[in-house]
Each structure stands twice: as structure tokens, then as C-alpha cells.
Amino acid sequence: MYEEGWGRATGESGARVGPQRVSVGAVLDSLGPAVLSPLAIPNGPSAVTGPPLIDDGNLSGRVSGTTLLLVGRPSPSEIVRAARAGATAVVVRADEVDSDELALAATRAGIALLAAGELLSWGDLYSMIRTLFTVYEPTEPVFVDLFELADRVARAAGGAVAIEDMNMRVVAYSSVAGQDIDELRLAGILGRRVPEEAVQAEEYLRVLRADGAIWCLEPRDNAPRLAIGVTAHEQPYGSIWVVQGESAPLSEEAPRILAEAAEQAVPHLARLQLASDAVRRQRDDSIRRLVHGAGPAEALAAELGLPVRGHYRVVVFGSSGGPTDELDATVVADLVRSALAAYRIRAAVGVVEGVPGAIIAGDPDAELLERVLVESLGRAGQRHGAAWRAAMGRVVDRLERIIDSTIHAETVRDALPPAEPGTEPFVAYHDRMAPLLLLHAVAAGTEAAALLTEEPISIIREYDAANGTDYLRTLAAWAANHYDVPAAAEDLYLHPNTLRHRLGRIRGLLDLDDPDLRLALVLQLRLATLVRPASGGSDLPA
């Protein structure tokens, strides 16, 4: 740990002046090695630096006292240029540069060089560093905490107040005697979270994007509310809501009062967000190490609140929309975590390498567990428009075997066919998917993949291309219907005799009575549908 603590720019009177600045050591301590690690600190950890700027190569002019995020693959000359421009610290990606070469340049130039975590985007890193500096920006007048601020706003504006963070959690609320509240407000206080049915993403975005306080919720749904976003430096941290009671309207000064309160709430909500991010990063890192078998299993389990003896299974979540962005993954993890906790199902839920998942402990009721997961994924789909599925690994009886359940779950996720947005969520179990997993493993094999397009299927495909026939689809329907001619004919909208005639023509190309050839052909037809997304297309029906 760096003991120098917070460094502040001060005037003669001791009051803080100019842009907020903190020590390099405090930045490293607060964000942790998963976010930032030192490569060179020539002036020591007590050297102070200022808020971040992103330099994608187009930044010009002075950047005095800033922390500069150097995008791309900066050279030693760019480190020197940043120092001459006045930056006191620069951040690079250690996996993209020659760290030793840049560290030497930074030491000679007298500028701190920090390395960013590999899994963080530049935008996420900027937000986290910006939040750290926001926490220590001065506000006037000073109040004790967010609950006191809520009470002050309630008395001045004339309505019950709730202060929420970016996860729609109620972090503070007013308790002024005689204030009117509705059912939505009461549920938010009791649950410390906005009720699920009240979540309206567009409305929250409208509040956060507005320049000042705006009215929300029509009276026929709930009591009308005046709301304002809590933002600083274009970074949102939460919102403040005032309920208009039935007995009297809000004060005419309510918009101004809310605007002042939003400014005062910034460092407090920023501090909560920074602490939440730190807890989330620590939890996700512990889960990552446990599911990959990369640490002391019992210590990691205890840290995550899991029993060190018993049964475990891993579940990972995937969506129809391809790669999951960090926000979606975090939302899914938060929804699942809250739901499992509500039913007292012991689990560690987080995001590992961009993928949301969970370690389920003990022997929870199978039907209840599936219902909780499906309902949580359904809510995630309603918010973000993706079709979410849960891939469940097998139950293991030791912490050290959690890695096996992880492999099971990831294998199931990779084998699941693509789903269209709007598809109902479901849980797929490794121990119920042996046939599909076997076929998927065969299709994924290098040698098998090369043989999928060769004889006998290539003979039919080439004949179709040369003669305009549709024999490939005919064979696929015939095999899918267990060689039942009337059933296959119905699927193909053909008369059974027409299908028999086609099969007779195909027998002139292939010996369909040869059991080995028929097995090979059926495997080619089936496996071609499994590898279709990776191969870029197929003329076979799904």
C-alpha cells in the first residue's frame, strides 16, 4: 500500500483551489492492481496528478496536471511529449507496448507511468478514474450524509425524497413527518430498490440526459414526481426523485432546490459507485480464480460466502446477440444475484471475462432454481432485447472440481444453437444434452470438419448444382423423419410417390442401402447444421 494518501492542491489558506488532484499512490491504492499497476513512479507515490484525459493521438496543447490515457501503442517519444505537455501521469496497456522501454522513458522524463488492466476498455477506465477524482471535489454547503440531504430537500421542496444510484437502488430517503408517499415509494424504501415493474429505462435515461429537473410518471399510474440526474463531467452517478403529495403541490423553487441537491450529492454517490465497483471487481476476480482453479479454493470460497464442503455446480449465461457488453453482463449478474438471495439459494454470482455466471452451492430444489434463473433472464431480456439462456454444468462434490463444472457449462453454452431475440429463456443441462454435445464435439474436430463437405454429401451437392435438383433437401427431410416416406413427403409438400421416385434417382448416385454410407451421410447432414454459424452458411435446413 502507498501510505502517502491523498495529495491536494492548496492555497495559502489551506483551501482547495484549481482542479482536484490526488496522489499517484492513492489512485493506485483506490483502484487496485486489477485496474492500474505502476510501471514507473520517478517522483514517488506522493506526487499528485489530476483528472483523466484520453489521448488518441489527436490531443494538442497543454494538459497540465492531468492523467493522460494513451490509446494505441505509444512510443517512448509520446511519453516524453506527454511530460512536456504538462501531464503528471500516463496510462498505457502493458500487453500492447514494450513496458521496459516506456518505463525508462518515463523515468527520464519525470512522469508516472501506469499500466491498465487488460480486461478494461478505455471508456470504463476513464469513468473509474474520473469517479475517483469526483469523490474528492469540494461541495458547499457540507452536510453529514445523503439521508440528511434527502430530509433538507423534502422540507424545502415540499415532497418525499428518494436518492438512487445507477443500479436503481434507493441509497437514501427522507423521513420528514407528515410527507405523502404512494405504494411505489413505499416499496422502494422497504426493498431499498425500485420495484421491478416500475423500471422504465427510457424514463431514467430521459432524467439523466435532461439539463435540469423534469416531471415523470403520470398521475394515473403513481403520484407525479420531479426528478433530476446526478452527474458530473458528463458522468452519471444516480438520480433524485421528489413525490408530489395529494395535499399540496411542490414548491415553485423545487427545480432549483433539486439542482443544488444534485451538485451536493455528486461526491457521495461517486464514492458509493467507486466502492461498489471495487467490491464487484474483487468478487469477480475471486470467482474467476475459483472457476479456473487458480488459487486456494477454500480461502476463495470463504471470501465469496460459499461453504467449503458440499456440492457445487457452475452456470454461465449467454445471449442471442453475440458478444455481451459489460453493462448487459453486469445487469444479468445483478438480477440473478438478487433473485437467488431472495430465495436463500447460496451462490456466488459475477462476471468473468465478460461472461455472467454463477457458482451454485448446496442442493437447492431443482425446479425452484430453474424457475428463478428463467425469470431473472426473462427480465434481463425485457430490458435489453436479447434472448438469454443458462448453461448448467454437472454437480461436483469438491471445490477443486468446480473447474470441471465450469468446462461442462461452457461446453453446453457453445453447443446451443443460435436463438432469435424474443425467444423465451431456458436452462440447458450438461447431463441432459449428451447427444447434442457429442455431435457438436465431432463437428468441431479439425479432421471431421474437413470431411463434412466431402463424399458422400459432395456428390449430391454437385449434382444439385449441375442439374437444378433439390436432392440434398430431400435426403435431409427423409433422414429427419426416420426414413418414413409419407412423413417426409408431407414436410416437403410432395406426393409420397414423387418422393419415392426421387429416392430412386438418388440411388443411382449413392448406395443408400449401404449402412456405413447411410450413417456417414446422416452425420454429414446433421453436423452441417451445427457448424453453420461458424462456416458462414449452408444450404441445409436448420
Side-chain angles (χ1 to χ4, degrees):
M1 297 290 288
Y2 298 95
E3 299 178 355
E4 283 75 6
W6 297 101
R8 297 183 174 88
T10 61
E12 294 182 359
S13 64
R16 285 175 287 182
V17 297
Q20 191 62 22
R21 306 179 75 192
V22 298
S23 73
V24 172
V27 171
L28 292 168
D29 282 345
S30 297
L31 298 182
V35 177
L36 286 178
S37 57
L39 295 178
I41 313 179
N43 300 317
S46 60
V48 295
T49 187
L53 287 175
I54 295 181
D55 182 4
D56 58 2
N58 298 315
L59 196 65
S60 61
R62 297 287 296 174
V63 289
S64 299
T66 61
T67 300
L68 207 56
L69 278 55
L70 296 183
V71 178
R73 303 174 65 87
S75 63
S77 63
E78 291 181 79
I79 302 296
V80 174
R81 176 180 63 85
R84 289 175 177 171
T88 53
V90 292
V91 180
V92 299
R93 285 203 181 283
D95 58 323
E96 296 180 356
V97 298
D98 185 333
S99 300
D100 292 338
E101 188 178 23
L102 293 189
L104 179 59
T107 300
R108 290 174 174 173
I111 187 171
L113 178 66
L114 312 178
E118 296 180 8
L119 301 180
L120 287 173
S121 70
W122 286 111
D124 293 334
L125 183 62
Y126 173 87
S127 296
M128 295 176 73
I129 299 176
R130 178 65 265 181
T131 297
L132 177 64
F133 282 90
T134 301
V135 165
Y136 288 89
E137 288 181 348
T139 58
E140 294 294 342
V142 176
F143 56 90
V144 175
D145 58 22
L146 287 173
F147 282 91
E148 180 182 338
L149 177 64
D151 281 345
R152 291 187 180 187
V153 174
R155 294 189 185 96
V161 173
I163 301 176
E164 301 173 11
D165 65 10
M166 287 299 294
N167 291 317
M168 301 178 191
R169 290 188 293 256
V170 178
V171 297
Y173 52 87
S174 60
S175 55
V176 176
Q179 62 185 10
D180 291 337
I181 61 174
D182 56 13
E183 293 184 3
L184 177 60
R185 151 82 170 172
L186 181 60
I189 293 175
L190 295 177
R192 298 304 297 269
R193 187 180 182 89
V194 179
E196 192 64 38
E197 62 273 15
V199 172
Q200 298 184 33
E202 291 184 3
E203 184 171 79
Y204 273 80
L205 286 175
R206 194 165 63 90
V207 170
L208 293 173
R209 290 170 178 167
D211 292 333
I214 61 174
W215 286 97
C216 299
L217 295 179
E218 297 183 17
R220 67 170 181 268
D221 297 321
N222 284 284
R225 283 156 165 72
L226 189 65
I228 192 168
V230 178
T231 62
H233 311 287
E234 300 183 352
Q235 174 84 11
Y237 295 106
S239 52
I240 303 177
W241 302 72
V242 184
V243 179
Q244 178 168 276
E246 295 181 359
S247 57
L250 297 183
S251 165
E252 293 182 357
E253 294 294 307
R256 178 188 60 78
I257 294 167
L258 274 184
E260 293 178 355
E263 291 182 5
Q264 296 172 25
V266 164
H268 295 263
L269 288 179
R271 187 176 294 111
L272 289 175
Q273 181 169 310
L274 195 65
S276 176
D277 287 344
V279 170
R280 176 178 281 114
R281 289 196 309 274
Q282 180 63 43
R283 179 183 61 238
D284 290 353
D285 183 63
S286 296
I287 293 174
R288 178 188 61 79
R289 295 172 65 193
L290 190 54
V291 299
H292 291 329
E298 291 192 4
L300 291 171
E303 183 179 315
L304 292 167
L306 298 175
V308 297
R309 299 286 185 276
H311 294 93
Y312 316 89
R313 62 170 30 180
V314 172
V315 54
V316 297
F317 308 109
S319 74
S320 61
T324 305
D325 65 31
E326 184 177 0
L327 176 60
D328 284 357
T330 300
V331 167
V332 169
D334 287 347
L335 287 172
V336 171
R337 185 184 306 107
S338 298
L340 292 176
Y343 286 93
R344 302 184 185 280
I345 298 174
R346 296 187 71 174
V349 188
V351 179
V352 176
E353 296 168 358
V355 178
I359 303 171
I360 310 295
D363 299 291
D365 180 80
E367 291 185 4
L368 173 63
L369 176 59
E370 180 170 333
R371 177 164 59 84
V372 170
L373 294 177
V374 167
E375 289 178 352
S376 300
L377 297 180
R379 289 197 293 272
Q382 291 170 4
R383 289 190 183 188
H384 297 278
W388 285 90
R389 296 87 63 83
M392 187 80 74
R394 290 177 181 266
V395 175
V396 295
D397 58 2
R398 296 195 309 275
L399 281 171
E400 292 77 11
R401 294 191 59 203
I402 284 178
I403 187 174
D404 297 331
S405 188
T406 302
I407 294 172
H408 298 156
E410 292 176 342
T411 302
V412 171
R413 178 200 61 199
D414 295 342
L416 289 174
E420 296 296 327
T423 302
E424 291 298 318
F426 62 88
V427 178
Y429 298 84
H430 188 274
D431 49 0
R432 301 179 191 176
M433 292 184 62
L436 180 60
L437 294 176
L438 174 62
L439 291 173
H440 191 270
V442 173
T446 303
E447 293 184 6
L451 293 171
L452 286 179
T453 59
E454 297 181 1
E455 296 83 0
I457 199 172
S458 62
I459 296 173
I460 303 300
R461 182 177 286 112
E462 291 168 5
Y463 187 89
D464 280 349
N467 298 277
T469 52
D470 199 15
Y471 290 169
L472 200 62
R473 190 173 296 274
T474 298
L475 285 171
W478 184 51
N481 284 281
H482 308 289
Y483 313 110
D484 185 322
V485 170
E490 184 176 352
D491 283 353
L492 293 168
Y493 300 100
L494 296 176
H495 191 280
N497 288 338
T498 303
L499 178 55
R500 292 188 182 96
H501 176 72
R502 281 192 186 179
L503 292 173
R505 297 287 298 273
I506 293 172
R507 280 188 169 90
L509 302 171
L510 299 174
D511 183 3
L512 295 181
D513 296 322
D514 181 339
D516 289 340
L517 184 144
R518 183 185 288 195
L519 175 60
L521 180 61
V522 170
L523 281 172
Q524 285 180 317
L525 290 168
R526 181 68 181 96
L527 296 180
T529 64
L530 293 180
V531 300
R532 179 175 51 181
S535 62
S538 169
D539 52 359
L540 296 179

